[in-house]
Amino acid sequence: AGITPLVYSWDWDATDGIQDETDGRLITHILRKPTVYTQVTKKAMYTVVTLTVSDPYNIKPPANVSFKVHVTPSAQAPTPPN
């Protein structure tokens, strides 16, 4: 028995359904604006990000985890780290 490789798929906006938008275990992504707003004030709150981990042979069912990322919009894009 060997080690089964894993596939990491990221979805950056759960409001449009879970879609494979970025692949990779170590990724970088800039969230430019939140996608969830309060009902009353329409104030920006957060974006829901989902990670799906699966094996390419479908031996085991995929595992999903979703989490909220609080986004603070900025007038200027951040400078990437060196």
Side-chain angles (χ1 to χ4, degrees):
I3 297 173
T4 303
L6 297 175
V7 176
Y8 297 82
S9 302
W10 297 85
D11 176 69
W12 304 110
D13 179 2
T15 63
D16 61 358
I18 304 302
Q19 302 174 27
D20 181 8
E21 296 173 346
T22 304
D23 290 328
R25 185 171 155 259
L26 301 173
I27 51 88
T28 301
H29 185 80
I30 296 173
L31 295 167
R32 302 208 183 275
K33 63 179 183 171
T35 57
V36 177
Y37 298 84
T38 61
Q39 288 284 344
V40 177
T41 63
K42 305 297 181 197
K43 182 179 176 184
M45 292 174 50
Y46 56 84
T47 293
V48 176
V49 175
T50 302
L51 169 63
T52 302
V53 181
S54 58
D55 72 271
Y57 309 114
N58 294 317
I59 295 170
K60 294 185 178 182
N64 295 328
V65 63
S66 294
F67 49 94
K68 295 176 183 177
V69 177
H70 293 270
V71 180
T72 304
S74 173
Q76 225 175 353
T79 304
N82 292 332

PDB file of all heavy atoms in Angstrom, residues 1 4-5 7 9 11-13 23 32 35 44 51 54-56 59 62-65 67 69 74 78 80:
ATOM      1  N   ALA A   1       0.843  -1.181   0.000  1.00  0.00           N
ATOM      2  CA  ALA A   1       0.000   0.000   0.000  1.00  0.00           C
ATOM      3  C   ALA A   1       0.881   1.234   0.000  1.00  0.00           C
ATOM      4  O   ALA A   1       1.802   1.346   0.784  1.00  0.00           O
ATOM      5  CB  ALA A   1      -0.905   0.015   1.213  1.00  0.00           C
ATOM      6  N   THR A   4      -1.639   7.725  -1.375  1.00  0.00           N
ATOM      7  CA  THR A   4      -2.470   8.240  -2.458  1.00  0.00           C
ATOM      8  C   THR A   4      -2.286   9.749  -2.567  1.00  0.00           C
ATOM      9  O   THR A   4      -2.385  10.451  -1.560  1.00  0.00           O
ATOM     10  CB  THR A   4      -3.958   7.923  -2.191  1.00  0.00           C
ATOM     11  OG1 THR A   4      -4.112   6.527  -2.042  1.00  0.00           O
ATOM     12  CG2 THR A   4      -4.828   8.411  -3.325  1.00  0.00           C
ATOM     13  N   PRO A   5      -2.015  10.265  -3.773  1.00  0.00           N
ATOM     14  CA  PRO A   5      -1.902  11.719  -3.911  1.00  0.00           C
ATOM     15  C   PRO A   5      -3.256  12.388  -3.665  1.00  0.00           C
ATOM     16  O   PRO A   5      -4.306  11.763  -3.829  1.00  0.00           O
ATOM     17  CB  PRO A   5      -1.457  11.906  -5.364  1.00  0.00           C
ATOM     18  CG  PRO A   5      -1.883  10.672  -6.064  1.00  0.00           C
ATOM     19  CD  PRO A   5      -1.878   9.566  -5.040  1.00  0.00           C
ATOM     20  N   VAL A   7      -5.780  15.936  -4.290  1.00  0.00           N
ATOM     21  CA  VAL A   7      -6.069  17.090  -5.141  1.00  0.00           C
ATOM     22  C   VAL A   7      -6.764  18.129  -4.272  1.00  0.00           C
ATOM     23  O   VAL A   7      -7.741  17.820  -3.586  1.00  0.00           O
ATOM     24  CB  VAL A   7      -6.972  16.687  -6.332  1.00  0.00           C
ATOM     25  CG1 VAL A   7      -7.338  17.899  -7.162  1.00  0.00           C
ATOM     26  CG2 VAL A   7      -6.303  15.620  -7.178  1.00  0.00           C
ATOM     27  N   SER A   9      -8.784  21.680  -4.279  1.00  0.00           N
ATOM     28  CA  SER A   9      -9.548  22.595  -5.129  1.00  0.00           C
ATOM     29  C   SER A   9     -10.167  23.685  -4.265  1.00  0.00           C
ATOM     30  O   SER A   9     -10.802  23.393  -3.252  1.00  0.00           O
ATOM     31  CB  SER A   9     -10.660  21.844  -5.866  1.00  0.00           C
ATOM     32  OG  SER A   9     -10.123  20.805  -6.643  1.00  0.00           O
ATOM     33  N   ASP A  11     -12.639  27.191  -3.917  1.00  0.00           N
ATOM     34  CA  ASP A  11     -13.736  28.007  -4.445  1.00  0.00           C
ATOM     35  C   ASP A  11     -13.736  29.310  -3.657  1.00  0.00           C
ATOM     36  O   ASP A  11     -13.806  29.296  -2.428  1.00  0.00           O
ATOM     37  CB  ASP A  11     -15.081  27.299  -4.283  1.00  0.00           C
ATOM     38  CG  ASP A  11     -16.231  28.175  -4.731  1.00  0.00           C
ATOM     39  OD1 ASP A  11     -16.343  28.432  -5.934  1.00  0.00           O
ATOM     40  OD2 ASP A  11     -16.992  28.634  -3.860  1.00  0.00           O
ATOM     41  N   TRP A  12     -13.655  30.432  -4.352  1.00  0.00           N
ATOM     42  CA  TRP A  12     -13.487  31.733  -3.696  1.00  0.00           C
ATOM     43  C   TRP A  12     -14.793  32.484  -3.479  1.00  0.00           C
ATOM     44  O   TRP A  12     -14.787  33.565  -2.909  1.00  0.00           O
ATOM     45  CB  TRP A  12     -12.525  32.600  -4.508  1.00  0.00           C
ATOM     46  CG  TRP A  12     -11.222  31.912  -4.692  1.00  0.00           C
ATOM     47  CD1 TRP A  12     -10.719  31.404  -5.862  1.00  0.00           C
ATOM     48  CD2 TRP A  12     -10.257  31.611  -3.687  1.00  0.00           C
ATOM     49  NE1 TRP A  12      -9.508  30.811  -5.632  1.00  0.00           N
ATOM     50  CE2 TRP A  12      -9.199  30.921  -4.297  1.00  0.00           C
ATOM     51  CE3 TRP A  12     -10.194  31.849  -2.315  1.00  0.00           C
ATOM     52  CZ2 TRP A  12      -8.086  30.477  -3.594  1.00  0.00           C
ATOM     53  CZ3 TRP A  12      -9.079  31.406  -1.623  1.00  0.00           C
ATOM     54  CH2 TRP A  12      -8.047  30.734  -2.268  1.00  0.00           C
ATOM     55  N   ASP A  13     -15.916  31.961  -3.930  1.00  0.00           N
ATOM     56  CA  ASP A  13     -17.180  32.678  -3.798  1.00  0.00           C
ATOM     57  C   ASP A  13     -18.323  31.669  -3.773  1.00  0.00           C
ATOM     58  O   ASP A  13     -18.773  31.223  -4.818  1.00  0.00           O
ATOM     59  CB  ASP A  13     -17.342  33.657  -4.956  1.00  0.00           C
ATOM     60  CG  ASP A  13     -18.643  34.439  -4.905  1.00  0.00           C
ATOM     61  OD1 ASP A  13     -19.420  34.262  -3.951  1.00  0.00           O
ATOM     62  OD2 ASP A  13     -18.883  35.220  -5.830  1.00  0.00           O
ATOM     63  N   ASP A  23      -6.592  25.311  -8.222  1.00  0.00           N
ATOM     64  CA  ASP A  23      -6.098  24.021  -7.753  1.00  0.00           C
ATOM     65  C   ASP A  23      -4.739  24.200  -7.117  1.00  0.00           C
ATOM     66  O   ASP A  23      -3.944  25.028  -7.547  1.00  0.00           O
ATOM     67  CB  ASP A  23      -5.965  23.029  -8.916  1.00  0.00           C
ATOM     68  CG  ASP A  23      -7.305  22.586  -9.470  1.00  0.00           C
ATOM     69  OD1 ASP A  23      -8.265  22.511  -8.693  1.00  0.00           O
ATOM     70  OD2 ASP A  23      -7.375  22.311 -10.679  1.00  0.00           O
ATOM     71  N   ARG A  32     -10.703  40.759  -3.372  1.00  0.00           N
ATOM     72  CA  ARG A  32     -10.834  42.203  -3.559  1.00  0.00           C
ATOM     73  C   ARG A  32     -12.078  42.790  -2.907  1.00  0.00           C
ATOM     74  O   ARG A  32     -12.125  43.971  -2.616  1.00  0.00           O
ATOM     75  CB  ARG A  32     -10.807  42.527  -5.033  1.00  0.00           C
ATOM     76  CG  ARG A  32      -9.520  42.038  -5.683  1.00  0.00           C
ATOM     77  CD  ARG A  32      -9.157  42.868  -6.863  1.00  0.00           C
ATOM     78  NE  ARG A  32      -7.974  42.347  -7.514  1.00  0.00           N
ATOM     79  CZ  ARG A  32      -6.741  42.635  -7.168  1.00  0.00           C
ATOM     80  NH1 ARG A  32      -6.512  43.438  -6.163  1.00  0.00           N
ATOM     81  NH2 ARG A  32      -5.717  42.114  -7.808  1.00  0.00           N
ATOM     82  N   THR A  35     -18.458  39.087  -0.406  1.00  0.00           N
ATOM     83  CA  THR A  35     -19.630  38.684  -1.183  1.00  0.00           C
ATOM     84  C   THR A  35     -20.886  38.558  -0.334  1.00  0.00           C
ATOM     85  O   THR A  35     -21.956  38.344  -0.859  1.00  0.00           O
ATOM     86  CB  THR A  35     -19.377  37.339  -1.898  1.00  0.00           C
ATOM     87  OG1 THR A  35     -19.043  36.358  -0.922  1.00  0.00           O
ATOM     88  CG2 THR A  35     -18.255  37.471  -2.906  1.00  0.00           C
ATOM     89  N   ALA A  44     -20.548  45.445   4.094  1.00  0.00           N
ATOM     90  CA  ALA A  44     -19.793  44.252   3.731  1.00  0.00           C
ATOM     91  C   ALA A  44     -19.417  43.463   4.971  1.00  0.00           C
ATOM     92  O   ALA A  44     -19.049  44.038   5.988  1.00  0.00           O
ATOM     93  CB  ALA A  44     -18.538  44.658   2.968  1.00  0.00           C
ATOM     94  N   LEU A  51     -12.705  24.757   0.544  1.00  0.00           N
ATOM     95  CA  LEU A  51     -11.616  23.892   0.106  1.00  0.00           C
ATOM     96  C   LEU A  51     -12.155  22.470   0.009  1.00  0.00           C
ATOM     97  O   LEU A  51     -12.783  21.969   0.936  1.00  0.00           O
ATOM     98  CB  LEU A  51     -10.451  23.927   1.103  1.00  0.00           C
ATOM     99  CG  LEU A  51      -9.355  22.885   0.912  1.00  0.00           C
ATOM    100  CD1 LEU A  51      -8.647  23.064  -0.431  1.00  0.00           C
ATOM    101  CD2 LEU A  51      -8.373  22.942   2.069  1.00  0.00           C
ATOM    102  N   SER A  54      -9.607  15.830  -2.444  1.00  0.00           N
ATOM    103  CA  SER A  54     -10.034  14.535  -2.972  1.00  0.00           C
ATOM    104  C   SER A  54      -8.821  13.770  -3.488  1.00  0.00           C
ATOM    105  O   SER A  54      -7.728  14.324  -3.597  1.00  0.00           O
ATOM    106  CB  SER A  54     -11.059  14.735  -4.099  1.00  0.00           C
ATOM    107  OG  SER A  54     -10.500  15.531  -5.131  1.00  0.00           O
ATOM    108  N   ASP A  55      -9.046  12.508  -3.789  1.00  0.00           N
ATOM    109  CA  ASP A  55      -7.975  11.745  -4.413  1.00  0.00           C
ATOM    110  C   ASP A  55      -8.344  11.536  -5.881  1.00  0.00           C
ATOM    111  O   ASP A  55      -9.517  11.407  -6.222  1.00  0.00           O
ATOM    112  CB  ASP A  55      -7.740  10.411  -3.683  1.00  0.00           C
ATOM    113  CG  ASP A  55      -8.844   9.416  -3.916  1.00  0.00           C
ATOM    114  OD1 ASP A  55      -9.814   9.429  -3.141  1.00  0.00           O
ATOM    115  OD2 ASP A  55      -8.730   8.626  -4.874  1.00  0.00           O
ATOM    116  N   PRO A  56      -7.360  11.532  -6.769  1.00  0.00           N
ATOM    117  CA  PRO A  56      -7.670  11.463  -8.202  1.00  0.00           C
ATOM    118  C   PRO A  56      -8.258  10.126  -8.648  1.00  0.00           C
ATOM    119  O   PRO A  56      -8.796  10.019  -9.735  1.00  0.00           O
ATOM    120  CB  PRO A  56      -6.317  11.728  -8.873  1.00  0.00           C
ATOM    121  CG  PRO A  56      -5.297  11.378  -7.854  1.00  0.00           C
ATOM    122  CD  PRO A  56      -5.934  11.630  -6.519  1.00  0.00           C
ATOM    123  N   ILE A  59     -11.028   6.838  -4.623  1.00  0.00           N
ATOM    124  CA  ILE A  59     -11.043   5.734  -3.658  1.00  0.00           C
ATOM    125  C   ILE A  59     -11.891   6.119  -2.446  1.00  0.00           C
ATOM    126  O   ILE A  59     -12.663   5.319  -1.940  1.00  0.00           O
ATOM    127  CB  ILE A  59      -9.606   5.365  -3.233  1.00  0.00           C
ATOM    128  CG1 ILE A  59      -8.846   4.829  -4.456  1.00  0.00           C
ATOM    129  CG2 ILE A  59      -9.613   4.347  -2.102  1.00  0.00           C
ATOM    130  CD1 ILE A  59      -7.368   4.652  -4.237  1.00  0.00           C
ATOM    131  N   PRO A  62     -14.700  12.881  -1.484  1.00  0.00           N
ATOM    132  CA  PRO A  62     -14.023  14.155  -1.203  1.00  0.00           C
ATOM    133  C   PRO A  62     -14.434  14.734   0.141  1.00  0.00           C
ATOM    134  O   PRO A  62     -15.534  14.484   0.626  1.00  0.00           O
ATOM    135  CB  PRO A  62     -14.472  15.079  -2.340  1.00  0.00           C
ATOM    136  CG  PRO A  62     -15.473  14.345  -3.134  1.00  0.00           C
ATOM    137  CD  PRO A  62     -15.593  12.958  -2.616  1.00  0.00           C
ATOM    138  N   ALA A  63     -13.543  15.505   0.739  1.00  0.00           N
ATOM    139  CA  ALA A  63     -13.826  16.200   1.999  1.00  0.00           C
ATOM    140  C   ALA A  63     -13.879  17.695   1.708  1.00  0.00           C
ATOM    141  O   ALA A  63     -13.017  18.223   1.005  1.00  0.00           O
ATOM    142  CB  ALA A  63     -12.738  15.897   3.020  1.00  0.00           C
ATOM    143  N   ASN A  64     -14.905  18.366   2.223  1.00  0.00           N
ATOM    144  CA  ASN A  64     -15.079  19.815   2.030  1.00  0.00           C
ATOM    145  C   ASN A  64     -15.014  20.525   3.368  1.00  0.00           C
ATOM    146  O   ASN A  64     -15.503  20.011   4.365  1.00  0.00           O
ATOM    147  CB  ASN A  64     -16.446  20.140   1.416  1.00  0.00           C
ATOM    148  CG  ASN A  64     -16.604  19.595   0.031  1.00  0.00           C
ATOM    149  OD1 ASN A  64     -15.650  19.503  -0.712  1.00  0.00           O
ATOM    150  ND2 ASN A  64     -17.818  19.224  -0.318  1.00  0.00           N
ATOM    151  N   VAL A  65     -14.447  21.719   3.347  1.00  0.00           N
ATOM    152  CA  VAL A  65     -14.507  22.599   4.508  1.00  0.00           C
ATOM    153  C   VAL A  65     -14.733  24.012   3.978  1.00  0.00           C
ATOM    154  O   VAL A  65     -14.106  24.432   3.011  1.00  0.00           O
ATOM    155  CB  VAL A  65     -13.232  22.509   5.388  1.00  0.00           C
ATOM    156  CG1 VAL A  65     -11.996  22.954   4.644  1.00  0.00           C
ATOM    157  CG2 VAL A  65     -13.408  23.313   6.661  1.00  0.00           C
ATOM    158  N   PHE A  67     -15.184  28.177   5.136  1.00  0.00           N
ATOM    159  CA  PHE A  67     -14.895  29.108   6.220  1.00  0.00           C
ATOM    160  C   PHE A  67     -15.108  30.533   5.740  1.00  0.00           C
ATOM    161  O   PHE A  67     -15.062  30.812   4.547  1.00  0.00           O
ATOM    162  CB  PHE A  67     -13.479  28.907   6.787  1.00  0.00           C
ATOM    163  CG  PHE A  67     -12.401  28.852   5.734  1.00  0.00           C
ATOM    164  CD1 PHE A  67     -11.705  29.989   5.385  1.00  0.00           C
ATOM    165  CD2 PHE A  67     -12.101  27.652   5.112  1.00  0.00           C
ATOM    166  CE1 PHE A  67     -10.710  29.931   4.422  1.00  0.00           C
ATOM    167  CE2 PHE A  67     -11.101  27.594   4.143  1.00  0.00           C
ATOM    168  CZ  PHE A  67     -10.406  28.741   3.803  1.00  0.00           C
ATOM    169  N   VAL A  69     -14.069  34.403   5.432  1.00  0.00           N
ATOM    170  CA  VAL A  69     -12.894  35.261   5.388  1.00  0.00           C
ATOM    171  C   VAL A  69     -13.397  36.701   5.416  1.00  0.00           C
ATOM    172  O   VAL A  69     -14.143  37.113   4.528  1.00  0.00           O
ATOM    173  CB  VAL A  69     -12.058  35.020   4.113  1.00  0.00           C
ATOM    174  CG1 VAL A  69     -10.887  35.976   4.039  1.00  0.00           C
ATOM    175  CG2 VAL A  69     -11.594  33.579   4.053  1.00  0.00           C
ATOM    176  N   SER A  74      -9.650  47.627  -0.017  1.00  0.00           N
ATOM    177  CA  SER A  74      -8.590  48.609   0.001  1.00  0.00           C
ATOM    178  C   SER A  74      -8.588  49.344  -1.324  1.00  0.00           C
ATOM    179  O   SER A  74      -8.883  48.774  -2.366  1.00  0.00           O
ATOM    180  CB  SER A  74      -7.246  47.919   0.231  1.00  0.00           C
ATOM    181  OG  SER A  74      -6.196  48.835   0.089  1.00  0.00           O
ATOM    182  N   PRO A  78      -2.518  45.160  -2.387  1.00  0.00           N
ATOM    183  CA  PRO A  78      -1.352  44.931  -1.540  1.00  0.00           C
ATOM    184  C   PRO A  78      -0.134  44.551  -2.370  1.00  0.00           C
ATOM    185  O   PRO A  78      -0.254  44.024  -3.467  1.00  0.00           O
ATOM    186  CB  PRO A  78      -1.786  43.785  -0.635  1.00  0.00           C
ATOM    187  CG  PRO A  78      -2.883  43.101  -1.385  1.00  0.00           C
ATOM    188  CD  PRO A  78      -3.544  44.166  -2.215  1.00  0.00           C
ATOM    189  N   PRO A  80       2.763  42.087  -3.137  1.00  0.00           N
ATOM    190  CA  PRO A  80       3.025  40.689  -2.812  1.00  0.00           C
ATOM    191  C   PRO A  80       4.340  40.543  -2.059  1.00  0.00           C
ATOM    192  O   PRO A  80       5.281  41.313  -2.275  1.00  0.00           O
ATOM    193  CB  PRO A  80       3.122  40.017  -4.177  1.00  0.00           C
ATOM    194  CG  PRO A  80       2.780  41.041  -5.190  1.00  0.00           C
ATOM    195  CD  PRO A  80       2.733  42.367  -4.526  1.00  0.00           C
TER     196      PRO A  80
END
